[in-house]
């Protein structure tokens, strides 16, 4: 007979420290508040990426209350927890109406990445292809989640270059890239890097004629573009669109994480499922990648959508449109900068204008804007498969709350440009420039760099002044220099180093 260990508790007795639980809980919350003080502000329109602030306090309140109501619910089995099925049905119906798919079916997922992964899995399995037996065609501007899906599901990603001026993929280029083993075509509405809408109807003509699945990734802006006037059809109104994803936790204004993945027909939807009875436990049926899952994101999204309704979303989109137009007009008036392409909204990208008499480096400009209280997002230049280069840009996400600070923002955009006008672009840290030189000379190969042990990769970061154990957050990082490093080194190497940085940053 096994004896209990020295610290074993008597299950018939109350917890020894139970009277102290409230005090411990209060201390934990105070500690969490201290951690939260290191976060970028999620409200007020000061962070123009990552957060999607409606500016309406009531939405925060109803989302938090809804999440609390289902705090103990397990979304694994909607037959046991009927609220999960009821809320999901309501959100699917809301998506059907919003995206003009009266017979569409689908699932609520944990976020855009999961929606994109499942769209690829469904297309592959519907086509009857195994790992390594299929390909998908997508623009270079499509979200990186599809590249993750390619890696996970063994689907080759054929990346189609986009024109460097417009960044909207050409339908003919998509057609030329399709192969006999292609099972899916992807386009964006809009894309994340520049906010440009791909030619959905033109691409759908091609996929429909070839009986191919066509996924429209509207994860980023779908719940804004649905009420954005003047756009060509881009959703299920377009015959040939077979699936569509749109994030409820972006312009649906719900907390992280919830997204909606819709399919035009039932058979495509069922192909995303994992189900098994061939094991000794209970029958498992998973419509998404997760098994046990919190119902908090689902409930929050449900409550927010019921609170806003279509008229509320339309009104918030109107605020976005006003702020978006003001920001675009302001940037168009700054000599040395240029908005990339013709973004449909609600996001845009800004590049250095090479034809200006005094170009403004976009990343120095973004840092100067951030120093004045508005955080922008730096994006590196990217060499496409055909050798053309998408220029380095600075990304801005416009939300309804931006409209309340747009006058200040516009002034800051202009002042920051004057501050850095004529300044040379930042160089990568010296240690990383030396590493780039070693690649150029052949002293270091890509295989050698990728085989670096974790500790050696960390030493490279520290030598470059990018110490993952310094926990000051983004304000401690010289983003223009880091982006310069990304541009100067082979991309797999910078991906390896950044993975090491984040792993070490979050480790005790």
């Amino acid at each position: 007979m096994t004896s209990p260990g020295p610290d074993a508790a008597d299950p018939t007795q109350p917890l020894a420290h139970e009277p102290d639980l409230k005090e411990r809980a209060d201390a934990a919350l105070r500690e969490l508040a201290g951690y939260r003080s290191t976060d970028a502000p999620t409200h007020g329109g000061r962070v123009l990426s990552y957060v999607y602030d409606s500016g309406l306090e009531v939405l925060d309140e109803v989302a938090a209350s809804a999440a609390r109501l289902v705090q103990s619910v397990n979304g694994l089995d909607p037959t046991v927890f009927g609220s999960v099925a009821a809320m999901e049905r309501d959100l699917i119906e809301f998506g059907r109406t919003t995206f003009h798919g009266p017979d569409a079916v689908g699932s609520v997922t944990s976020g855009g990445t999961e929606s994109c992964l499942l769209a690829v899995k469904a297309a592959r399995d519907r086509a009857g292809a195994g790992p390594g037996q299929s390909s998908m065609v997508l623009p270079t501007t499509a979200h990186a989640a599809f590249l993750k899906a390619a890696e996970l599901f063994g689907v080759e990603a054929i990346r189609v270059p986009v024109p460097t001026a417009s960044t909207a993929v050409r339908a003919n280029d998509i057609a030329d890239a399709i192969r006999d083993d292609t099972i899916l075509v992807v386009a964006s509405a809009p894309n994340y890097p520049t906010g440009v809408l791909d030619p959905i109807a033109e691409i759908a003509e091609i996929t429909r004629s070839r009986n191919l699945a066509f996924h429209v990734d509207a994860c980023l802006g779908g719940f804004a573009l649905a009420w954005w006037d003047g756009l060509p059809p881009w959703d299920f109104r377009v015959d040939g669109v077979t699936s569509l994803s749109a994030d409820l936790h972006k312009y649906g204004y719900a907390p992280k994480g919830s997204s909606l993945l819709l399919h035009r027909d039932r058979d495509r939807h069922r192909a995303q499922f994992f189900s098994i009875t061939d094991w000794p436990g209970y029958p498992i049926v998973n419509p998404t990648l997760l098994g046990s899952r919190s119902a908090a994101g689902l409930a929050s999204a449900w409550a927010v959508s019921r609170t806003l309704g279509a008229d509320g979303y339309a009104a918030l989109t109107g605020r976005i449109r006003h702020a978006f137009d003001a920001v675009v007009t302001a940037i168009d008036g700054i000599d040395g900068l240029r908005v990339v392409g013709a973004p449909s909204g609600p996001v845009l990208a800004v590049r250095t204008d090479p034809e200006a008499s005094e170009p403004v480096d976009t990343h120095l400009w973004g840092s100067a804007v951030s120093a004045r209280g508005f955080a922008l997002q730096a994006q590196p230049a990217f060499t496409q498969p055909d050798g053309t280069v998408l220029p380095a840009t600075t990304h801005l996400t416009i939300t309804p709350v931006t409209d309340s600070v747009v006058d200040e923002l516009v002034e800051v955009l202009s002042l920051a440009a004057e501050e850095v006008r004529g300044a040379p672009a930042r160089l990568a840290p010296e240690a990383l420039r030396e590493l780039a030189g070693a690649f150029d000379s052949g002293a270091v190969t890509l295989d050698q760099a990728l085989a670096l042990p974790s500790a050696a990769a960390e030493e490279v970061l520290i030598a470059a002044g990018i110490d993952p154990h310094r926990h000051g957050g983004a304000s401690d990082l010289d983003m223009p220099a880091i982006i310069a490093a990304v541009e100067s080194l082979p991309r797999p190497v910078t991906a390896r180093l950044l993975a090491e940085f984040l792993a070490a940053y979050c480790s005790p």
Side-chain angles (χ1 to χ4, degrees), residues 190-462:
N191 71 51
Y192 186 93
T194 64
V196 169
L197 179 67
D198 285 325
I200 304 300
E202 294 176 39
I203 296 171
E205 288 184 14
I206 296 164
T207 58
R208 189 173 64 250
S209 68
R210 305 191 189 192
N211 196 30
L212 280 174
F214 179 27
H215 181 76
V216 172
D217 175 22
C219 286
L220 170 60
F223 280 104
L225 294 193
W227 289 276
W228 200 280
D229 293 334
L231 298 179
W234 54 269
D235 55 13
F236 285 116
R237 287 170 293 179
V238 179
D239 188 18
V241 171
T242 57
S243 58
L244 180 150
S245 53
D247 285 1
L248 294 152
H249 66 207
K250 290 190 174 76
Y251 288 95
Y253 308 111
K256 311 294 183 193
S258 55
S259 175
L260 191 60
L261 173 60
L262 297 174
H263 299 267
R264 187 179 288 274
D265 65 79
R266 292 165 54 174
D267 290 333
R268 293 185 189 279
H269 176 230
R270 278 36 168 194
Q272 81 180 42
F273 278 57
F274 171 82
S275 59
I276 188 169
T277 56
D278 188 20
W279 80 300
Y282 61 97
I284 290 179
V285 181
N286 298 147
T288 62
L289 298 177
L290 302 180
S292 290
R293 53 180 176 144
S294 169
L298 170 67
S300 295
W302 178 88
V304 168
S305 69
R306 301 295 261 200
T307 301
L308 277 176
D311 56 340
Y313 281 103
L316 290 176
T317 299
R319 295 180 190 177
I320 298 170
R321 185 68 178 266
H322 180 263
F324 180 87
D325 289 345
V327 169
V328 169
T329 299
I331 294 169
D332 283 343
I334 297 175
D335 185 40
L337 294 173
R338 180 192 301 173
V339 173
V340 178
S344 299
V347 305
L348 66 143
V350 181
R351 62 166 294 183
T352 299
D353 185 353
E355 299 177 1
S357 56
E358 285 188 292
V360 175
D361 181 82
T362 185
H363 292 155
L364 293 181
W365 171 72
S367 289
V369 171
S370 296
R372 291 174 180 266
F374 289 93
L376 309 184
Q377 188 177 59
Q379 300 181 138
F382 175 74
T383 302
Q384 302 190 94
D386 64 353
T388 60
V389 178
L390 297 176
T393 59
T394 299
H395 172 100
L396 291 82
T397 293
I398 308 300
T399 64
V401 79
T402 309
D403 197 39
S404 66
V405 294
V406 71
D407 291 341
E408 181 186 356
L409 173 60
V410 163
E411 181 180 11
V412 165
L413 298 179
S414 179
L415 290 173
E418 293 306 316
E419 179 182 327
V420 302
R421 186 179 302 282
R426 189 87 83 234
L427 296 175
E430 183 177 355
L432 297 184
R433 294 203 304 275
E434 292 176 357
L435 180 57
F439 278 109
D440 292 340
S441 67
V444 175
T445 68
L446 181 59
D447 287 343
Q448 288 172 330
L450 295 180
L452 274 179
S454 171
E458 183 178 300
E459 289 177 5
V460 172
L461 290 167
I462 293 173

Side-chain angles (χ1 to χ4, degrees), residues 150-167:
E151 182 175 315
L152 291 176
F153 299 132
V155 178
E156 182 182 351
I158 303 172
R159 304 176 75 181
V160 178
V162 301
T164 58
S166 71
T167 72

Side-chain angles (χ1 to χ4, degrees), residues 13 140-141 271 288 325 475 498:
Q13 299 298 316
T140 56
T141 51
T288 62
D325 289 345
S475 60
L498 289 175

